[in-house]
């Protein structure tokens, strides 16, 4: 019997894709983002093992809400693609039984062809790009960004619907040149239906404290509305530069 290692679940998610959604947070992640608000999802061996049918039974009572709101199922993490066989089977089943919309929330640290079966039953990919500059990406997450950018390019080439999300952290991910470069990169992609900046917040600090870990961004403030607006404008400017160069 196929089982997934689950961190937690949410029955009324409103920020993880279109409509009201059932959000399943998978356990395990290979990135160690300094701003992560769920560092307890990193371990590959923690969490609760749940059979596929048990997860489906959690979804079923709320189907009416998901359908009438144009919502569905989002699988997030941790990093959902680390358990690709389970998520693939889950997506297949919710489509076969209830024709539910499926969203995969991923950091892109995988390769499209390796998870093609999962992507073939995924209606929308929410791709979290952490940093456009490779050295800064390594400092921020512990890993280079080549795989993430390649995943974005692959999704673009294959015409797969995607939303791109970016966490704005003052002093870390808000450099003017980096934001222009990010915009230029996004401008090269097809099938990006939405781009969203997520302002950094400190709500996950207590999780680090509970784990007995020192929080790497101690004292870093959330960005102001003006700073968020500036970031959107710089990214938009970068996109325009790419589009005008193409045309």
């Amino acid at each position: 019997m196929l089982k997934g290692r689950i961190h937690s679940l949410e029955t009324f998610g409103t920020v993880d894709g279109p409509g009201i959604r059932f959000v399943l947070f998978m356990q395990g992640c290979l990135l160690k983002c300094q701003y992560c608000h769920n560092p307890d999802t990193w371990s590959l061996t923690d969490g609760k093992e749940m059979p596929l049918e048990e997860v489906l039974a959690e979804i079923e009572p709320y189907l009416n809400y998901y359908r009438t709101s144009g919502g569905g199922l989002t699988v997030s993490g941790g990093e959902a693609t680390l358990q690709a066989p389970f998520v693939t089977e889950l997506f297949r089943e919710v489509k076969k039984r209830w024709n539910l919309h499926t969203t995969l929330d991923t950091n892109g640290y995988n390769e499209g062809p390796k998870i093609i079966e999962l992507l073939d039953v995924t209606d929308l990919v929410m791709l979290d790009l952490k940093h456009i500059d490779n050295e800064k990406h390594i400092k921020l997450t512990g890993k280079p960004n080549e795989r993430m950018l390649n995943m974005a390019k692959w999704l673009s080439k294959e015409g797969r619907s995607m939303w791109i999300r970016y966490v704005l952290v003052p002093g870390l991910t808000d450099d003017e040149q980096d934001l222009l470069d990010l915009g230029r990169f996004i401008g090269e992609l097809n099938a990006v239906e939405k781009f969203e900046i997520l302002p950094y917040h400190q709500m996950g600090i207590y999780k680090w404290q509970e784990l007995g870990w020192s929080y790497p961004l101690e004292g870093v403030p959330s960005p102001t509305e003006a700073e968020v607006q500036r970031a959107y404008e710089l990214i938009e400017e970068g996109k325009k530069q790419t589009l005008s160069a193409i045309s």
Side-chain angles (χ1 to χ4, degrees):
M1 185 189 296
L2 200 54
K3 291 182 178 179
R5 197 169 279 280
I6 311 300
H7 173 266
S8 56
L9 53 86
E10 186 181 337
T11 51
F12 279 77
T14 55
V15 294
D16 299 282
I20 297 169
R21 309 192 71 81
F22 185 98
V23 188
L24 189 69
F25 297 93
M26 307 301 289
Q27 182 70 36
C29 189
L30 299 179
L31 268 58
K32 303 289 180 274
C33 297
Q34 292 184 348
Y35 54 63
C36 182
H37 57 271
N38 283 318
D40 50 333
T41 63
W42 291 355
S43 165
L44 301 176
T45 54
D46 288 348
K48 176 190 176 187
E49 275 202 334
M50 288 180 73
L52 189 66
E53 286 297 332
E54 195 177 320
V55 175
L56 291 165
E58 292 279 357
I59 298 171
E60 193 165 16
Y62 309 101
L63 283 173
N64 195 41
Y65 295 100
Y66 307 142
R67 286 204 180 109
T68 54
S69 69
L73 167 65
T74 297
V75 178
S76 184
E79 174 48 42
T81 64
L82 293 179
Q83 299 186 62
F86 178 83
V87 182
T88 303
E89 204 49 46
L90 177 61
F91 278 5
R92 275 193 190 128
E93 278 301 309
V94 300
K95 286 192 158 303
K96 190 168 83 179
R97 294 185 191 196
W98 307 311
N99 196 27
L100 269 195
H101 181 277
T102 54
T103 294
L104 176 69
D105 182 9
T106 176
N107 59 35
Y109 195 67
N110 215 312
E111 295 170 42
K114 285 189 177 174
I115 56 168
I116 187 73
E117 287 190 26
L118 169 55
L119 293 168
D120 282 346
V121 286
T122 298
D123 295 312
L124 172 67
V125 176
M126 293 177 75
L127 184 62
D128 300 310
L129 293 181
K130 311 293 185 183
H131 214 300
I132 196 69
D133 179 278
N134 189 49
E135 290 306 312
K136 292 177 184 176
H137 193 282
I138 292 169
K139 187 180 176 193
L140 177 66
T141 71
K143 301 283 185 188
N145 68 3
E146 183 183 21
R147 283 187 175 200
M148 293 74 174
L149 301 185
N150 284 343
M151 175 64 91
K153 291 174 189 171
W154 187 90
L155 292 167
S156 169
K157 183 169 68 74
E158 295 290 319
R160 309 287 177 128
S161 297
M162 63 176 138
W163 292 4
I164 290 178
R165 302 201 293 185
Y166 182 78
V167 178
L168 189 70
V169 187
L172 210 63
T173 66
D174 64 346
D175 177 79
E176 181 174 339
Q177 193 56 53
D178 292 335
L179 293 170
L180 285 167
D181 288 344
L182 177 63
R184 290 186 191 107
F185 176 74
I186 293 170
E188 295 170 358
L189 303 174
N190 302 309
V192 179
E193 296 176 354
K194 185 177 180 181
F195 171 76
E196 191 175 14
I197 287 174
L198 306 178
Y200 162 73
H201 60 73
Q202 299 95 338
M203 287 188 281
I205 294 178
Y206 77 96
K207 293 260 187 94
W208 292 72
Q209 292 167 342
E210 283 178 354
L211 291 164
W213 299 350
S214 62
Y215 186 62
L217 301 185
E218 195 69 54
V220 175
S222 296
T224 63
E225 281 186 33
E227 286 169 331
V228 173
Q229 188 56 39
R230 166 188 169 270
Y232 270 119
E233 287 167 5
L234 286 166
I235 290 163
E236 199 55 43
E237 176 60 31
K239 280 166 66 178
K240 282 179 186 165
Q241 289 174 12
T242 293
L243 296 172
S244 61
I246 292 170
S247 59

